[in-house]
Amino acid sequence: DGGITQSPKYLFRKEGQNVTLSCEQNLNHDAMYWYRQDPGQGLRLIYYSQIVNDFQKGDIAEGYSVSREKKESFPLTVTSAQKNPTAFYLCASSSGLSREQYFGPGTRLTVT
Amino acid sequence: GESVGLHLPTLSVQEGDNSIINCAYSNSASDYFIWYKQESGKGPQFIIDIRSNMDKRQGQRVTVLLNKTVKHLSLQIAATQPGDSAVYFCAEKREGAQKLVFGQGTRLTINP
């Protein structure tokens, strides 16, 4: 069964703690992306990666970090420096930067 | 364009009618456009895409129209069904850029 998995679906953390969101794909896609979605709004790009061991900042990278050690995996860490971390986080992948992106089911993070 | 505000535009249609969802884009250099469907609590799902060298593309029950003169994109859904209820996003990729820019989204509601 090919696709993108994100875990967990819901995540709760206390303010001041770092938290890592998982994203795995078995589509053999080169490019992977992380987006943030706030209620009633569109998607904003946090980070993206074209190939293993390489990644670039998106529009709202401050307070986030990523790694791309394997083609299949692109974990996102929400650090304590992120001022407003509560949001719905979406991971996506594509076979190239000019192709359609396929999205995972998302992780809803709540920080209190 | 970028998402703004907390209130999504809403479109209500009768079941069985055709739906037309509109999207204005800002950059005349955009060369690739995608429509996504997002159901509540889920990740966006790819519907259809179109490149700037085309003005129309059809899929199963959906048609995308591109008017480059006025920088307008539309998604037509034929014979709307209850399962079409969702938020619909357009996204554009600017020529030479490496990322998609998502619009705010439109919430489609189906009346029985």
Side-chain angles (χ1 to χ4, degrees):
Chain A
D1 215 10
I4 303 174
T5 57
Q6 291 184 242
S7 61
K9 188 169 176 62
Y10 298 97
L11 192 52
F12 298 88
R13 280 292 183 271
K14 293 290 187 187
E15 198 174 312
Q17 294 179 333
N18 291 353
V19 58
T20 297
L21 281 59
S22 167
C23 178
E24 304 279 330
Q25 54 98 0
N26 61 4
L27 300 167
N28 200 33
H29 284 169
D30 288 314
M32 295 186 74
Y33 313 79
W34 274 106
Y35 292 90
R36 170 187 172 127
Q37 187 175 34
D38 293 288
Q41 297 193 35
L43 282 67
R44 292 185 289 168
L45 182 65
I46 305 172
Y47 268 98
Y48 64 102
S49 167
Q50 299 179 60
I51 56 172
V52 174
N53 293 322
D54 184 55
F55 48 83
Q56 286 80 40
K57 292 182 179 180
D59 300 316
I60 54 165
E62 186 175 348
Y64 299 98
S65 65
V66 293
S67 62
R68 187 86 187 276
E69 297 177 3
K70 298 187 299 182
K71 186 175 185 178
E72 303 79 21
S73 179
F74 191 40
L76 172 75
T77 297
V78 184
T79 75
S80 56
Q82 168 50 232
K83 298 273 190 291
N84 188 17
T86 294
F88 189 46
Y89 290 88
L90 288 157
C91 178
S93 71
S94 66
S95 60
L97 289 176
S98 296
R99 303 297 299 273
E100 66 271 20
Q101 296 178 17
Y102 293 91
F103 284 83
T107 292
R108 188 167 300 280
L109 173 64
T110 303
V111 176
T112 56
Chain B
E2 297 292 336
S3 60
V4 292
L6 296 176
H7 301 288
L8 283 176
T10 300
L11 174 66
S12 293
V13 300
Q14 290 296 123
E15 183 178 348
D17 287 352
N18 296 337
S19 302
I20 300 176
I21 301 170
N22 297 305
C23 180
Y25 63 95
S26 56
N27 195 316
S28 57
S30 292
D31 63 354
Y32 179 60
F33 304 87
I34 305 179
W35 279 101
Y36 285 94
K37 171 187 180 183
Q38 186 177 26
E39 297 176 5
S40 181
K42 297 183 179 179
Q45 178 184 4
F46 171 82
I47 302 173
I48 192 167
D49 59 359
I50 188 168
R51 298 200 177 273
S52 59
N53 60 353
M54 303 172 69
D55 53 22
K56 180 179 180 179
R57 190 162 187 226
Q58 288 186 287
Q60 187 176 13
R61 250 191 346 110
V62 295
T63 301
V64 55
L65 298 177
L66 175 62
N67 186 331
K68 294 182 285 294
T69 303
V70 296
K71 291 186 283 191
H72 183 267
L73 190 70
S74 68
L75 177 71
Q76 299 179 2
I77 304 173
T80 311
Q81 303 168 1
D84 295 327
S85 292
V87 176
Y88 290 81
F89 291 97
C90 65
E92 61 181 295
K93 190 189 78 67
R94 297 165 189 178
E95 187 177 4
Q98 297 175 324
K99 60 182 183 179
L100 292 175
V101 176
F102 285 80
Q104 182 181 12
T106 297
R107 184 179 302 281
L108 177 64
T109 302
I110 313 303
N111 300 319

